[in-house]
Amino acid sequence: MNAEDTLPDFVYSWVEDWFVNLLAPTIERRLDADGAGTLTWCPQWWQHPEAIARLEALWRAWEVCRDADGEAPSRWFWQHLDPMLAVLMEAKCGPLSDCKPDQHRKYSNTTKLPFEPAPIGYWGTEAAVIARASTTTATT
């Protein structure tokens, strides 16, 4: 790794620090507490693994963008924040859709993705290679 590849020193020490001190006071949205609207939020966002993962990704991207070229903050909004907030705040099926701005888990509609672990030794086998190739071909 050369000097150009190193990350800047972070302003915020962890995702909650960034969220509480920068993102939450900055973002303004009309949230629906009755469940009829299109946007929601959870006051206990930190109890949702997907919210944590997405917000941590946003925080890390923000830390890198803030120290980059002059257009990077603008790109951070449209490339990172806007799509992430659209998913996080989607009231019908987003990861916080069971919650309302004033209540954690008001409803019980969301589920985690169902899965079965791959058999031991599956990854790297010919079947895995074929499955990944067919997935790649189907999405291109």
Side-chain angles (χ1 to χ4, degrees), residues 6 12-13 22 25 31 35 39 44 47 50 71 80 91 98 121-122 124 129:
T6 60
Y12 297 96
S13 356
L22 181 91
L31 302 176
L39 298 178
Q44 297 177 19
Q47 290 200 45
E50 184 175 352
E71 292 180 355
H80 300 280
D98 277 353
Y122 173 78
V129 171

Side-chain angles (χ1 to χ4, degrees), residues 15-85:
V15 66
E16 184 178 21
D17 184 24
W18 173 79
F19 179 81
V20 168
N21 292 298
L22 181 91
L23 190 67
T26 302
I27 301 304
E28 297 176 331
R29 297 288 189 280
R30 184 174 300 215
L31 302 176
D32 178 31
D34 297 327
T38 59
L39 298 178
T40 194
W41 191 257
C42 180
Q44 297 177 19
W45 59 268
W46 38 266
Q47 290 200 45
H48 299 269
E50 184 175 352
I52 294 168
R54 287 177 177 277
L55 288 168
E56 178 130 359
L58 282 172
W59 161 54
R60 290 174 180 275
W62 180 88
E63 292 283 4
V64 172
C65 286
R66 71 163 178 84
D67 199 38
D69 65 84
E71 292 180 355
S74 177
R75 285 193 308 269
W76 178 81
F77 272 93
W78 63 268
Q79 288 181 333
H80 300 280
L81 181 67
D82 292 345
M84 287 288 205
L85 281 184

Side-chain angles (χ1 to χ4, degrees), residues 62-136:
W62 180 88
E63 292 283 4
V64 172
C65 286
R66 71 163 178 84
D67 199 38
D69 65 84
E71 292 180 355
S74 177
R75 285 193 308 269
W76 178 81
F77 272 93
W78 63 268
Q79 288 181 333
H80 300 280
L81 181 67
D82 292 345
M84 287 288 205
L85 281 184
V87 171
L88 281 170
M89 300 178 83
E90 211 289 317
K92 301 296 181 206
C93 60
L96 307 177
S97 61
D98 277 353
C99 304
K100 295 300 144 211
D102 60 349
Q103 187 176 2
H104 174 65
R105 298 276 186 222
K106 182 173 182 176
Y107 306 109
S108 298
N109 298 327
T110 61
T111 58
K112 297 196 182 316
L113 295 176
F115 71 93
E116 294 180 16
I120 294 174
Y122 173 78
W123 299 107
T125 65
E126 186 175 338
V129 171
I130 292 169
R132 281 187 295 217
S134 66
T135 304
T136 304

